[in-house]
Every structure is written in structure tokens, then in C-alpha cells.
Amino acid sequence: MIESIDVKLKHVCTMLGVSRPELCAKAQVNYKTLAQAMSRNSKVSSETLDEICEAWNIPRDYFSKYTPILRVAPGPNDDPPARAAAYSEDLAAQRAHLEIIRSRGRVGTIDFINWVQNGGSEIVDFETLRGTVDLFYPMRVTDSTPLPYRIGLRSLSTEYFELKCEEHYIKRVMSFDRKLLENVKEAHIQASYRPYHVSDVTISVMINGKRVEENYRRTIAKVPSKNGPLVTAVHAELIPTPCLRIAGMPNLSPTGQ
């Protein structure tokens, strides 16, 4: 069965625990326009769906007519506890399905390096990267921390550091210990001398009263932005455990030509 966009939007709201107006507000989409389009069985524009997916980290493939919704339905004779259990299982199944679609579309380190090695591309030309990397102004030796040009809405730093905007990034990062700040600065400077720089990083910081401890692989590269300045793109992904960690990853960080 092919589910309509209307039905899928209802499922998204249920999974996220938000109302349709709240869904639209965060995506800066006009709720009345969307509601009218759905009530008339009109086609919801691709731009509208893109805005919702970008704001809520929903895989664009979720709204494809070829992507079914997995359901766990209660039996017709189930009592209230059984129906409640079926509802919980249904919600869990939908969330798991969404995560499978999301992980299928994630950009990995090799994907990012392959794009960098293509050469001559602009950051906006690689649509798969949109929102998954953080962009910074080139770092100078006198800078204490990288200055963000644009923080990706679905980047690892946004997810784990709970970032809200570029100014928030600066405040958050400046609260980290000096050793970690020096590591970030050194990586950005190293990236300015070569096509890209890859390193494995261990982080242990407090974010909103919670301890965040992760191992991740960071790739930094200089890239031209369309009609804008030369920027530094930073891609990061968690390192699976167990996984061989190679400090500095010298075999993946070529010297400049």
C-alpha cells in the first residue's frame, strides 16, 4: 500500500511527539498553506518537504512513495492493555524504520574524502553533504577557536553538543578544556597545508549537565563555497566499538602537492 504524504506527516508528528503546527514552525513552513494543500489532496511541494526534513533530521526518502510505513496493529478483540502494548510496539517499529532509512543516507568519512578528491567542486554542488558538515572560516594562528561560517543541522557536533546556531557553537566550544581547544586549533591549521586531514579524537565534556564521552573520526578540508569565501569543511562520524584507532591517521592525510 502506498501511503500518502498526509499520512506520513501524521506518523512523523506521532514519532516526534509534536503537533503539525509545531512541525511547521521549526521548519519555517506555513502551516495553513500545508493544511490546505493536504485537505484538497493537492501535491505538497518538494521545497516544503525539504524544509521539514532539514529541520527535523528526517530522511528525504521517508516521503518517497516507494517507502512503506511499517505498522504493528492491535487485534480486533484485544483488550485495552493489549491495544496499548500494540501502540507502543507500533511506535517503536516506526522509529526503528526511520533510523534505518536515516543511517542508509549518512555521509561517511570515505564519502567525504572522495568528494574532496574530485577537485574543483563547490560545497553546494554535493547535495548529499548539505547539513552533514560544519563550515568554518580558515583559521589563523592568532585565533583561539575556529569561527563558524555555517553549522550543519545534521552534523555530529550539532547532535552531540546540542547546538542551535553559529553563535551558540562559539559559546559551547569555549567552555571546553584548553587541551581540547588546542587539538581543534592544531587540526584546522594542519588542514590548511594539505588537501585534507583525518584524525581520531576522544572527547569527554559536560553538555547541559550531562557527560558526553565519544570517540569520533574527524576529517577537515578546505573547500570553495559558491559566491563566497574559501571555507574549511569539517566532517565527523562516530568510531564503532571495537575499532582500530590510528592516531593522526597519517595514511589518510596526504601532503600538499
Side-chain angles (χ1 to χ4, degrees), residues 25-44:
K26 182 174 179 179
Q28 298 183 353
V29 168
N30 188 297
Y31 169 67
K32 290 184 178 180
T33 301
L34 179 64
Q36 288 174 357
M38 291 188 298
S39 65
R40 299 170 183 167
N41 289 323
S42 300
K43 185 177 180 180
V44 178

Side-chain angles (χ1 to χ4, degrees), residues 49-64:
L49 291 179
D50 285 343
E51 293 293 341
I52 292 174
C53 291
E54 185 80 11
W56 291 96
N57 191 19
I58 301 169
R60 189 62 174 80
D61 286 352
Y62 180 79
F63 290 104
S64 168

Side-chain angles (χ1 to χ4, degrees), residues 10 35 38 41 67 72 106 117 121 138 154 165 172 182 190 201 204 211 224 235 237 243 245:
K10 289 180 180 178
M38 291 188 298
N41 289 323
T67 302
V72 178
R106 281 187 180 138
Q117 289 182 324
S121 298
R154 299 191 306 276
C165 61
R172 180 73 82 200
E182 288 297 326
Q190 286 291 327
V201 183
S204 179
R211 173 65 62 179
H235 173 270
E237 66 175 344
C243 179
R245 302 182 70 254

Side-chain angles (χ1 to χ4, degrees), residues 161-208:
F161 298 160
E162 301 179 11
L163 302 178
K164 300 176 182 178
C165 61
E166 284 71 24
E167 291 77 13
H168 190 215
Y169 170 88
I170 296 175
K171 293 180 180 178
R172 180 73 82 200
V173 171
M174 289 304 291
S175 68
F176 296 164
D177 64 72
R178 187 179 185 85
K179 183 177 180 181
L180 180 57
L181 289 176
E182 288 297 326
N183 178 278
V184 172
K185 180 177 179 178
E186 176 63 23
H188 275 253
I189 293 176
Q190 286 291 327
S192 66
Y193 298 119
R194 57 189 73 185
Y196 57 86
H197 177 69
V198 185
S199 57
D200 289 347
V201 183
T202 298
I203 188 171
S204 179
V205 296
M206 294 294 294
I207 303 293
N208 292 336

Side-chain angles (χ1 to χ4, degrees), residues 80-97:
R83 296 183 69 85
Y87 174 79
S88 297
E89 291 175 2
D90 178 49
L91 190 59
Q94 291 183 54
R95 286 173 173 165
H97 187 213

